[in-house]
Amino acid sequence: MDNRRLILVVALGFVLISLWQAWTRDQSQSAQQAAATTQNAAIPGSPAESTAAKDIPASVAPTASGQTQGTVPGTPETKSSASNNAQTITVKTDVLALKISLQGGVINEADLLKYPQEQDKADPVRLLTDSNGFVYVAQSGLVGAKGAPAPDHYAQYTAPQMEYTLTPGENELRIPLSWEKDGIKITKWIIVKRGDYTVRVEYKIENTSQTPWAASQYRQLTRLGTTPGTQLVHTYTGTVYAGDVPGTKDRLAYEKIPFEEMLKTKLSKDLSNGWVAIIQHYFMSAWVPSDRQQVNHFYTLVSDKNNQTLYTIGMSSPVTTIPAGGSGELSSTLYVGPKIQSNLAPLAQGLNLTIDFGIFTVIADPIFWLLKFFHEWVGNWGWSIVLVTLVIKLFFLWPSAISYRSMAKMRAVTPKMKALKEKFGEDRQKLSQEMMKLYQREKINPLGGCLPIVIQIPVFISLYWVLAESVELRQAPWILWIHDLSQKDPYFVLPLLMGISMFIQQKLNPAPVDPMQQKIFAWLPVIFTVFFSFFPAGLVLYWFVNNLLSIAQQYLITRKIEKQMALIKSE
């Protein structure tokens, strides 16, 4: 029993090490992104280059869906480098501040106004940017079939004004970008709304020429990659996509493509009801087609800019034909903002899966739902965690009671176990046999004491990912010195209290018979305190409150069992 308990504790320690590595990596990435964003924000007037992958798939062969893809612009053979002096339009709503280049209508800067980089500071998170050496942009364009003229993301647009601001009473801004060539008039509308992180892109096409005009629409996200880490688990930063396989009932629910994987294999699939995205900690961008059932060609690209590797994920639509003298429309939606389930789920099937709660999502989802429910009630995420901990403890009250009764009985027979150890210490087989007889006589389940650790591990991991992935808890305060539950306790008070509670709880457990194991268990509160010192305060709060509730329950059960066994002995 002692060996099994030690193995479980070691397993929990392994989980703690893995999560600590994840947290360390995540904080390192966040710090790098914040540093880059701060640097970019320091030069608000710097010109933004309309950056793009220079080798978007160029193919005139039919795709699997039977649609012909036109020659996509932007290849080295057809385009030169983008101008560093492209004019940009500034767009500001109550939640977004965008910069849109007149060269291609590329969205090359997006500030999330409701999400400061740091608490008590005005500078917002800059999700999209193309300045000071970092590239993360949203591009879209049209590809003319058989050489038909069409504005790609290098085309030069004109605009009636260079600044748009959502004023009180307005709910929508519409930014028209105009392009014309050989009788083809195209207006690229950029549409943003109040309180909305979606950017709708609409192409209004007028064919005033004497011949039919045909083209397809493409949308893509281009970003500098990140250096692959060596940690066991970490918050994912990279590309994802989803979609249905045409002609079948198969659904690619959620497919990740890490940046480094793009160097090995290119994505090339035809899917419907899909989307493409680049996700990172708390925030994301995603392109979603307006026609969910339309089959799009999904692709990835790897290219270079100034000796830096750019990674692109995108999708192109089937060819649309506009007859001579006719008109038509093509459109898509770009989401650029926080990973909030209520924002993402209505946009596209599976888009909310970008909030990745890991392998225990089935546990994490109810935990997150409970957190939101209690937050609506108490208005504080810290107290919500306390209430969720209470609910979890009530849920496991019965199995925990069984476990604590087993440990109480083990504690009561510890003197007998030590006597057997002294008598048969050299004969391991005989000692095991006598131990099992003792368990049978006293009606003790030697595995019962391991149950609390076993049932807490998946809940612990689930809550970790809820705290790590939920943007709602980003910079969320609790009380007094805890100003951000997603960060470590700045004064290490909670980890210290957690360590003390773990020490008290350990004293209620039966001591291991083996002297070496006694020393190991004696050091565990100290070791766990050190580990928890670097964990988010919300996670430490959960563990500390759970320990307090466990101590109360275990103390009451232990006293009851000891009285019962003392009464039996007196009889």
Side-chain angles (χ1 to χ4, degrees), residues 160-291:
Q161 62 188 73
M162 301 303 292
E163 185 175 343
Y164 294 81
T165 301
L166 194 68
T167 58
E170 281 188 302
N171 290 318
E172 181 181 272
L173 289 175
R174 300 177 64 89
I175 299 93
L177 307 179
S178 301
W179 178 92
E180 183 176 357
K181 185 176 182 180
D182 298 340
I184 307 300
K185 298 180 180 179
I186 295 177
T187 302
K188 182 175 185 178
W189 287 92
I190 310 294
I191 304 168
V192 292
K193 296 182 179 182
R194 180 177 298 277
D196 201 335
Y197 290 98
T198 60
V199 180
R200 185 168 175 82
V201 178
E202 295 180 354
Y203 292 92
K204 304 290 185 180
I205 306 158
E206 296 181 47
N207 183 2
T208 62
S209 70
Q210 302 301 310
T211 59
W213 176 88
S216 63
Q217 175 187 197
Y218 69 92
R219 328 80 161 163
Q220 61 187 30
L221 300 164
T222 297
R223 189 187 193 278
L224 281 177
T226 54
T227 304
T230 58
Q231 283 76 12
L232 296 174
V233 290
H234 59 85
T235 300
Y236 177 76
T237 298
T239 67
V240 293
Y241 73 97
D244 296 332
V245 179
T248 73
K249 295 182 179 179
D250 295 338
R251 171 72 181 175
L252 293 174
Y254 186 78
E255 190 77 20
K256 293 180 180 179
I257 309 179
F259 294 127
E260 57 269 23
E261 289 298 319
M262 289 189 190
L263 298 170
K264 304 173 185 177
T265 306
K266 285 188 176 182
L267 171 65
S268 181
K269 288 184 179 180
D270 294 317
L271 302 171
S272 63
N273 195 26
W275 46 267
V276 296
I278 293 180
I279 64 175
Q280 64 188 59
H281 193 200
Y282 294 135
F283 307 105
M284 64 175 289
S285 61
W287 280 109
V288 180
S290 296
D291 186 348

Side-chain angles (χ1 to χ4, degrees), residues 188-477:
K188 182 175 185 178
W189 287 92
I190 310 294
I191 304 168
V192 292
K193 296 182 179 182
R194 180 177 298 277
D196 201 335
Y197 290 98
T198 60
V199 180
R200 185 168 175 82
V201 178
E202 295 180 354
Y203 292 92
K204 304 290 185 180
I205 306 158
E206 296 181 47
N207 183 2
T208 62
S209 70
Q210 302 301 310
T211 59
W213 176 88
S216 63
Q217 175 187 197
Y218 69 92
R219 328 80 161 163
Q220 61 187 30
L221 300 164
T222 297
R223 189 187 193 278
L224 281 177
T226 54
T227 304
T230 58
Q231 283 76 12
L232 296 174
V233 290
H234 59 85
T235 300
Y236 177 76
T237 298
T239 67
V240 293
Y241 73 97
D244 296 332
V245 179
T248 73
K249 295 182 179 179
D250 295 338
R251 171 72 181 175
L252 293 174
Y254 186 78
E255 190 77 20
K256 293 180 180 179
I257 309 179
F259 294 127
E260 57 269 23
E261 289 298 319
M262 289 189 190
L263 298 170
K264 304 173 185 177
T265 306
K266 285 188 176 182
L267 171 65
S268 181
K269 288 184 179 180
D270 294 317
L271 302 171
S272 63
N273 195 26
W275 46 267
V276 296
I278 293 180
I279 64 175
Q280 64 188 59
H281 193 200
Y282 294 135
F283 307 105
M284 64 175 289
S285 61
W287 280 109
V288 180
S290 296
D291 186 348
R292 303 284 182 87
Q293 301 306 314
Q294 186 183 71
V295 176
N296 281 266
H297 182 69
F298 287 59
Y299 59 86
T300 57
L301 298 166
V302 179
S303 57
D304 291 323
K305 176 196 175 186
N306 299 331
N307 296 321
Q308 292 180 305
T309 303
L310 297 177
Y311 300 89
T312 298
I313 186 168
M315 54 186 173
S316 58
S317 71
V319 171
T320 297
T321 301
I322 308 294
S327 61
E329 179 181 322
L330 296 169
S331 62
S332 290
T333 298
L334 172 70
Y335 181 85
V336 51
K339 293 193 289 185
I340 298 177
Q341 291 193 24
S342 58
N343 287 355
L344 302 176
L347 282 179
Q349 181 181 351
L351 195 59
N352 59 310
L353 294 175
T354 53
I355 306 170
D356 190 357
F357 288 153
I359 61 173
F360 294 114
T361 298
V362 67
I363 301 174
D365 279 339
I367 289 176
F368 180 68
W369 182 88
L370 269 178
L371 276 173
K372 289 203 302 180
F373 173 79
F374 286 130
H375 182 261
E376 291 175 1
W377 181 30
V378 299
N380 182 287
W381 288 107
W383 292 120
S384 300
I385 291 173
V386 172
L387 292 172
V388 165
T389 308
L390 180 60
V391 170
I392 292 173
K393 193 63 183 175
L394 290 173
F395 185 80
F396 290 114
L397 192 63
W398 181 71
S400 296
I402 295 175
S403 174
Y404 294 146
R405 281 196 291 268
S406 177
M407 285 193 290
K409 290 180 180 179
M410 291 286 294
R411 178 184 172 90
V413 300
T414 297
K416 295 180 181 180
M417 294 171 63
K418 289 182 178 179
L420 291 175
K421 174 72 174 176
E422 293 173 0
K423 185 176 181 180
F424 303 104
E426 300 300 325
D427 189 344
R428 304 293 296 179
Q429 184 176 359
K430 183 66 175 175
L431 177 61
S432 297
Q433 293 174 352
E434 294 299 322
M435 286 285 195
M436 290 307 298
K437 291 179 182 179
L438 176 63
Y439 296 151
Q440 291 172 359
R441 286 196 305 269
E442 301 293 342
K443 297 181 180 180
I444 295 173
N445 180 4
L447 296 179
C450 303
L451 189 60
I453 296 176
V454 173
I455 63 178
Q456 283 189 74
I457 287 177
V459 174
F460 178 80
I461 295 174
S462 300
L463 186 60
Y464 168 83
W465 285 114
V466 167
L467 292 173
E469 278 286 285
S470 301
V471 69
E472 290 89 344
L473 277 83
R474 178 181 182 267
Q475 298 179 352

